[in-house]
Structure formats: structure tokens, C-alpha cells
């Protein structure tokens, strides 16, 4: 749930309290919180009933505040163990293996890492497995090793490289979780997006999230936020109904 300015690829801004946007969603009936392992300790304990926590392994914060890869078996096992301890859990609901690097997806094998995580799953430490920052061929490789329930990649109105992958995963009942759904550190800006938002009397960001929800039934949103007000804006996108004309206009952004 925490977004830019709470924990990101830069040092955390100490004057912000990550607990405020993290605890507010559950008064707004959200039921998932993501990437706790990558961005810092959980602030949600004791956990509300029905909350599902997802975390991510495959990279570790270093002394230069970077995220070098950490994919050796002992590193993955240590990361899962640290997440269990930090979150106060016996089993992690969902663990993503993070492939690629800070610049994006990178070709290369992922089977060895998934084999290690599958072993931890068999030991009862992980309930479900996912992959993140991956190419379609890496998704296929991961699925040849273990059951994959979710794929997390960059995707939004303007960045639509995974269109075919989303459709393929939907046919197989696998969730697609877009990160940077609002553009990340370069927020989405488009005349078409602003026009649709003005017609509907809402914000461009709410429209961008509504478009994602109507893009495919297997899309699960995780828009980051650093304030309760921004969180409410994000959630309002779930109630928007976009017309066929709206969708055609918005689809032109990624064309």
C-alpha cells in the first residue's frame, strides 16, 4: 500500500509515517497489502480478518540504498525467514520472485529460484507463489516448476507491453498485478485521460485505475499511496463505470 515517499528506490523520508496509509485501507474495505518484505516492516499487526499479505524476494537493500539481486538458495531462504519473523506469521500468503533489475525485465533463467521457493512452499512456509518483473517466457518457465497464482509487472494506460500476456493469464485463471498503474515516478498525463475524467466528474488517476479494472477480470490493483486522501482517490476508481466510448478514447493512449 505504501507509495512514493514512504519506501521506494531512494532512502525513506523519515518524517512520513508509513502506518497511516497502510492502516487506513481496511476501514475502506480493502483486503490485500503488498510487498512488505521489499519495503520495510509490517505496520498492520494484529492483522484484520481476511487480510492477505504478499511479499517479494530476489533482491535486498544494500548500504548504498540500491536493490542488488539476491537469488541464491540461501538468500531466498533467509529472505522468507526474515519476512516470517518480521510479519509474525508461520506461513506467508503469497511470495513473489522478483526477476529483472531496477531498470526492468531482463532475459535469463528463473527455474532455480522457483525450485528453492517451491521447496519452502512444500515445507509449509509459503502458501502461494508469484513472479514479478518477468518476460512471458520467464512466466512459462516458472509455471513449469511450480504453480504460479500471480504475475506482477509494469503496466498502465500508456505502457501496455503485456497485453497478450494478460489475456493468456486470464484464460488460465492467473492474476495479473500491474505495478506503476498510475505511471510510477512519471504520473500519467494525457489529454484523452483528462477529457474522460472531466466528463465523469472525477480525477484522471481514478479513471486510469477504472480502465485497468475493466481491462481484464484477472487484474488486481496495488496502487501505492503516501496519504489517506490519495488512497481514497485510488479506491474511488473501483466504482467508476467507463462506457464503450470512454474505453475507445482511453485505448488510444497506449496505441
Amino acid at each position: 500500500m505504501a507509495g512514493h515517499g514512504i519506501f521506494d528506490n531512494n532512502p525513506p523520508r523519515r518524517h512520513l509515517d508509513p502506518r497511516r496509509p497502510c492502516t487506513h485501507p481496511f476501514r475502506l474495505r480493502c483486503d490485500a497489502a503488498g510487498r512488505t518484505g521489499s519495503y520495510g516492516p509490517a505496520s498492520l499487526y494484529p492483522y484484520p480478518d481476511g487480510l492477505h499479505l504478499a511479499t517479494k524476494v530476489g533482491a535486498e537493500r544494500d548500504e548504498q540504498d540500491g536493490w542488488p539481486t539476491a537469488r541464491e538458495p540461501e538468500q531466498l531462504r533467509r529472505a522468507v525467514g526474515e519476512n516470517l519473523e518480521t510479519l509474525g506469521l508461520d506461513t506467508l500468503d503469497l511470495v513473489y520472485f522478483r526477476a529483472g533489475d531496477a531498470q526492468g525485465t531482463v532475459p535469463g533463467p528463473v527455474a532455480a529460484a522457483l525450485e528453492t521457493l517451491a521447496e519452502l512452499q512444500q515445507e509449509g512456509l509459503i502458501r502461494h507463489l508469484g513472479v514479478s518483473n518477468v518476460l512471458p517466457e520467464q512466466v512459462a518457465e516458472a509455471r513449469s516448476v511450480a504453480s504460479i497464482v500471480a504475475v506482477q509487472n509494469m503496466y498502465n494506460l500508456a505502457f501496455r507491453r503485456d497485453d497478450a500476456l494478460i489475456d493468456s493469464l486470464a484464460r488460465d485463471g492467473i492474476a495479473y498485478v500491474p505495478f506503476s498503474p498510475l505511471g510510477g515516478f512519471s504520473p500519467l498525463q494525457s489529454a484523452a485521460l483528462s477529457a474522460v475524467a472531466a466528463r465523469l466528474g472525477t480525477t484522471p488517476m481514478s479513471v486510469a485505475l477504472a480502465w485497468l479494472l475493466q481491462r481484464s477480470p484477472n487484474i488486481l490493483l496495488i496502487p501505492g499511496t503516501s496519504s489517506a486522501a490519495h488512497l481514497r482517490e485510488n479506491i474511488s476508481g473501483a466504482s467508476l463505470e467507463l462506457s464503450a466510448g470512454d474505453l475507445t478514447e482511453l485505448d488510444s493512449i497506449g496505441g
Side-chain angles (χ1 to χ4, degrees), residues 21 24-25 28 30 181-182 187-188 193-194 197 201-211 213 221 223-240:
H24 190 72
L28 299 176
C30 298
L182 300 177
L188 294 172
L193 180 59
S194 297
T202 188
T203 66
M205 296 300 97
S206 292
V207 171
L209 294 176
W211 177 86
L213 289 172
L221 293 184
T225 184
S226 57
S227 72
H230 185 205
L231 175 65
R232 286 190 291 270
E233 179 183 346
N234 287 344
I235 291 176
S236 71
S239 63
L240 286 180

Side-chain angles (χ1 to χ4, degrees), residues 3-255:
H4 180 49
I6 296 293
F7 296 105
D8 51 37
N9 288 332
N10 300 303
R13 285 161 57 184
R14 301 299 180 186
H15 65 282
L16 293 177
D17 182 357
R19 294 170 297 178
R20 295 181 64 188
C22 281
T23 54
H24 190 72
F26 308 106
R27 297 194 294 274
L28 299 176
R29 304 186 70 176
C30 298
D31 60 3
R35 302 206 290 185
T36 51
S38 293
Y39 291 102
S43 302
L44 306 173
Y45 193 86
Y47 307 120
D49 292 339
L51 173 65
H52 301 285
L53 294 176
T55 189
K56 188 180 295 184
V57 298
E60 295 178 346
R61 176 82 88 175
D62 64 16
E63 294 180 356
Q64 288 72 46
D65 295 306
W67 289 100
T69 60
R71 300 170 185 168
E72 294 301 317
E74 63 274 15
Q75 292 175 311
L76 295 172
R77 285 183 170 274
R78 182 175 66 248
V80 168
E82 289 174 350
N83 274 280
L84 288 167
E85 181 178 0
T86 298
L87 294 168
L89 296 172
D90 297 319
T91 302
L92 298 171
D93 287 327
L94 171 60
V95 174
Y96 288 99
F97 169 66
R98 178 187 185 272
D101 57 25
Q103 281 68 53
T105 55
V106 176
V110 298
L114 266 296
E115 288 170 358
T116 298
L117 295 176
E119 291 174 0
L120 294 171
Q121 186 179 37
Q122 292 170 0
E123 294 170 17
L125 302 179
I126 298 172
R127 186 164 290 114
H128 299 293
L129 292 173
V131 288
S132 176
N133 210 23
V134 284
L135 297 166
E137 57 268 26
Q138 292 171 320
V139 175
E141 182 184 0
R143 294 182 65 189
S144 73
V145 175
S147 175
I148 300 299
V149 303
V151 174
Q152 187 184 82
N153 275 354
M154 182 174 176
Y155 183 82
N156 55 52
L157 262 171
F159 188 86
R160 300 182 56 181
R161 186 178 63 188
D162 276 356
D163 273 337
L165 177 61
I166 290 170
D167 295 337
S168 174
L169 294 173
R171 288 191 292 270
D172 291 338
I174 297 173
Y176 184 90
V177 185
F179 65 74
S180 299
L182 300 177
F185 298 119
S186 300
L188 294 172
Q189 297 184 41
S190 162
L193 180 59
S194 297
V196 172
R199 283 201 305 270
L200 296 175
T202 188
T203 66
M205 296 300 97
S206 292
V207 171
L209 294 176
W211 177 86
L212 284 168
L213 289 172
Q214 291 184 227
R215 165 64 181 82
S216 181
N218 66 324
I219 285 183
L220 172 66
L221 293 184
I222 53 165
T225 184
S226 57
S227 72
H230 185 205
L231 175 65
R232 286 190 291 270
E233 179 183 346
N234 287 344
I235 291 176
S236 71
S239 63
L240 286 180
E241 286 291 335
L242 302 176
S243 69
D246 294 333
L247 293 172
T248 298
E249 192 170 351
L250 294 169
D251 283 343
S252 68
I253 296 173

